[in-house]
Structures are given as C-alpha cells and as structure tokens.
Amino acid sequence: TNGYCRLNVDCNSPSYSTEAACCKAAYAGQVTGYCLQQLPSPPTTSPTDAGGLDVFYPDYDTAWSEAGCINDSPLPSGRPTYSTRIACCK
C-alpha cells in the first residue's frame, strides 16, 4: 500500500516521537518505501563513502605490519594524501 505517517495529536492515533519512527513501526514491511519517501528529509539508498575525508593517508600511528591507509578526520599535519586507498597503499 501507499500509506504514510503524519504527526497528529488526538485520542485515536498511536503515539510516535517522529514521522520516521512511525514509518519504521507502522509500515516496516512496505515494499514501495512510500512512507519514508514522504518524510521531509527521506533516507537515501545511495551509498556513501566510509570515513570523513575525500583523501586517504598512511596510518603511521599503527604498527607497520598492521597499518594501512585511512581517511579518518582530522588529517594529521604533514601526511601525504592520495585520491584512493589503493594509490595510498602502493
């Protein structure tokens, strides 16, 4: 179905703290995702990059045998940066 949630305060409505909480509870099995799409800031199905930076740098704080490249924020001063993890690790 194409049901959705609207925050109403009356005696006949179940109580949810947010419209998102309502969608997750009342329309959890909704195949179309219509309820979530009607939220003011709907969640997205587009993947996002892990980490906080758009660049990768060597993790000098971890033992060499275990270290790799990371994109954690903040970027330590003086570290070389690379556009991809693979470029950093080579």
Side-chain angles (χ1 to χ4, degrees):
T1 66
N2 283 333
Y4 64 97
C5 294
R6 187 176 359 168
L7 287 179
N8 288 335
V9 179
D10 62 36
C11 294
N12 299 319
S13 297
S15 177
Y16 297 104
S17 58
T18 65
E19 289 174 281
C22 174
C23 286
K24 288 179 181 179
Y27 296 100
Q30 189 177 54
V31 177
T32 63
Y34 184 80
C35 186
L36 292 172
Q37 293 169 11
Q38 302 311 302
L39 296 175
S41 296
T44 179
T45 57
S46 301
T48 56
D49 293 331
L53 301 174
D54 293 333
V55 295
F56 291 87
Y57 59 90
D59 180 10
Y60 295 151
D61 296 329
T62 302
W64 183 85
S65 60
E66 299 173 19
C69 290
I70 57 177
N71 65 343
D72 296 344
S73 182
L75 174 65
S77 178
R79 298 281 172 98
T81 60
Y82 303 87
S83 60
T84 66
R85 186 183 307 268
I86 290 178
C88 176
C89 288
K90 287 186 175 183

